[in-house]
């Protein structure tokens, strides 16, 4: 009898324990404090204490007051942490309702099945007409919008006007040919270099894709089957256009338009050299406004204009998305909050210079000067980019460090991109 009593006691304790564990998991998964209240998990990549973070928190607190059943739980992470947590979280079923991201992640996260299709929501959204179409296109895969453009930024040519005038140069180069001619003249007159570029780091492929667009070629074209392929080796005209890009890099170095040390420069080195007036021009984003604050004397003569081009004006357009995840338990509330983040009021107060909205105006060179370039902006194709950006950096090293023939490098890069697409399962065999 004693043994039977002990056995029943153990069973009851085990049952109570399982019940408590079950209740604990339910509370954890819902994230809701009280009945009727909803907590949205929101991961952001801002740096704590920076101006836009402070203003964002104020506006979000106001949003919570106006929507008393909604709590916004903000997690401040850097982009590397966000990426790693999302990759593991999608597989494990542990993702936030909304998160910041980078354009380079879109294809990978969508391929994992993590991103909500927002096409229907946005098509019914009255504010859709106020969002740059090029930004929406950059987050569209197979006709499905899988992210919302939260920040955008085109690259522009920044020019130290006084440095040109001091050497009698009154014209900013508009084409590659003019850049080479004026840059060569500038070096002969001053012994200095006219133009800045990066030979390494994340900036190098971004600069390169802008140059390819200026020659009218893509690194991966979408086929009718929805997959992608680099077609340079299938099309002599495209191969010739891609070859001109690599020949342009060599011309910049050989004609002393660019400092030979730029072969190994990363973006921080390049930006610092421009901000301190080491050279007169650089294609870069409007984050250089911060450098104007820290280098007021050397940055006071800077103007903003269209980057010099080969065949047609084009520039790299960086689009930073907000994702809403399929595993969100509150998709309608997440979409409503996302609309608030993209609203005119929020964007005007937080990031008027980097907004994807066409009706938010910052009448400065750092605002409209860059926004006007959005219409000629191009982004990376919606394919997994990890190996491809590495392929592009390697191709650049072959041309400017090893001095290999531009046409052979273009052929090599075409093959390597298709190998990367095949590895990712998105290569079109058509």
């Amino acid at each position: 009898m004693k043994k039977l009593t002990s056995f029943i006691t153990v069973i009851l304790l085990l049952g109570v324990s399982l019940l408590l564990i079950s209740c604990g998991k339910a509370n954890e998964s819902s994230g809701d404090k009280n009945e009727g209240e909803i907590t949205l998990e929101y991961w952001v990549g801002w740096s704590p204490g920076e101006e836009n973070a402070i203003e964002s928190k104020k506006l979000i607190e106001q949003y919570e007051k106006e929507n008393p059943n909604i709590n916004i739980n903000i997690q401040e992470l850097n982009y590397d942490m966000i990426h790693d947590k999302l990759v593991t979280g999608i597989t494990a079923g542990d993702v936030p309702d909304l998160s910041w991201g980078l354009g380079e992640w879109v294809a990978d996260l969508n391929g994992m099945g993590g991103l909500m299709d927002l096409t229907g929501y946005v098509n019914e959204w009255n504010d859709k007409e106020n969002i740059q179409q090029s930004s929406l296109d950059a987050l569209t895969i197979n006709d499905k919008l899988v992210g919302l453009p939260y920040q955008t930024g085109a690259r522009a040519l920044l020019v130290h006007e006084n440095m040109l005038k001091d050497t009698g140069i009154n014209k900013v180069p508009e084409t590659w040919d003019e850049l080479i001619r004026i840059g060569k003249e500038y070096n002969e007159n001053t012994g200095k270099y006219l133009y800045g570029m990066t030979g390494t780091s994340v900036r190098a492929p971004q600069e390169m894709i802008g140059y390819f667009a200026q020659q009218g070629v893509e690194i991966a074209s979408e086929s009718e089957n929805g997959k992608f392929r680099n077609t340079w080796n299938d099309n002599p005209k495209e191969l010739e256009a891609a070859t001109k890009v690599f020949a342009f890099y060599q011309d910049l170095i050989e004609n002393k338009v660019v400092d030979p040390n730029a072969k190994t420069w990363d973006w921080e080195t390049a930006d610092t050299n421009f901000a301190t007036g080491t050279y007169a021009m650089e294609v870069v984003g409007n984050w250089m406004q911060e450098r104007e604050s820290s280098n007021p004397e050397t940055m006071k003569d800077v103007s903003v204009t269209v980057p010099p081009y080969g065949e047609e004006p084009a520039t790299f357009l960086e689009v930073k998305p907000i994702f809403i995840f399929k595993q969100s338990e509150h998709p309608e509330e997440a979409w409503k909050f996302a609309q608030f983040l993209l609203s005119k009021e929020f964007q005007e107060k937080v990031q008027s210079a980097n907004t994807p909205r066409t009706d938010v105006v910052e009448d400065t060179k750092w605002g409209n000067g860059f926004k006007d370039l959005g219409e000629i902006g191009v982004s990376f194709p919606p394919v997994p980019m990890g190996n491809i950006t590495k392929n592009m950096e390697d191709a650049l090293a072959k041309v400017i460090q090893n001095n290999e023939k531009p046409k052979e490098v273009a052929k090599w890069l075409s093959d390597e991109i298709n190998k990367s697409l095949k590895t990712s399962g998105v290569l079109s065999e058509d």
Side-chain angles (χ1 to χ4, degrees), residues 24 58 84 122 130 198 228 230 234 335 359 411:
K58 289 180 183 176
D84 292 346
V122 172
N130 295 314
T198 56
F228 290 81
N230 182 292
D234 306 323
W335 164 239
D359 57 350
K411 288 181 177 178

Side-chain angles (χ1 to χ4, degrees), residues 144-181:
K144 293 182 179 178
L145 184 67
V146 295
L148 298 165
Y150 180 63
Q151 293 180 349
T152 63
R155 301 292 162 82
L157 179 69
L158 301 193
V159 181
H160 283 295
E161 292 192 346
N162 290 344
M163 293 179 69
L164 293 187
K165 291 176 181 175
D166 290 346
T167 54
I169 297 174
N170 297 314
K171 177 178 173 55
V172 176
E174 297 179 1
T175 65
W176 290 1
D177 289 342
E178 289 182 356
L179 176 61
I180 297 297
R181 179 176 57 77

